[in-house]
Amino acid sequence: ADYVAFGSFFASTVKPDAVAATPDLLRQARRELAVPLVAIGGIDAQNGARLLEAGANALAVISAVFAAPDIQLAARQFSVLDYS
């Protein structure tokens, strides 16, 4: 696999019945997997940093960007998060 995705970390209008995941799942996966980890599900610029801190290498977002009144501004808000 090139990467592994985990979610849903937060309530999501795209997949409202998705099974909930916790940041601890990312921490465990980071210890056990050598591929990039992607977090998905209800992520926005405010809660995404918590998932990066828990071990996610990337955030998959839909509504936080495409449902925003200003899509460019919403995308820029993610660009300032620390992905290191």
Side-chain angles (χ1 to χ4, degrees):
D2 293 325
Y3 69 93
V4 178
F6 293 99
S8 177
F9 286 95
F10 306 101
S12 170
T13 58
V14 176
K15 293 185 179 179
D17 298 324
V19 175
T22 68
D24 285 334
L25 177 61
L26 289 170
R27 289 182 192 91
Q28 178 183 352
R30 176 56 47 228
R31 289 189 301 269
E32 298 178 18
L33 301 174
V35 296
L37 306 178
V38 178
I40 190 168
I43 298 169
D44 59 33
Q46 287 71 44
N47 62 27
R50 187 171 6 158
L51 301 176
L52 295 171
E53 291 167 3
N57 298 99
L59 304 174
V61 298
I62 299 170
S63 300
V65 172
F66 293 105
D70 185 336
I71 292 173
Q72 290 181 345
L73 174 61
R76 279 195 302 273
Q77 290 174 328
F78 282 97
S79 70
V80 299
L81 296 179
D82 183 7
Y83 287 85
S84 58

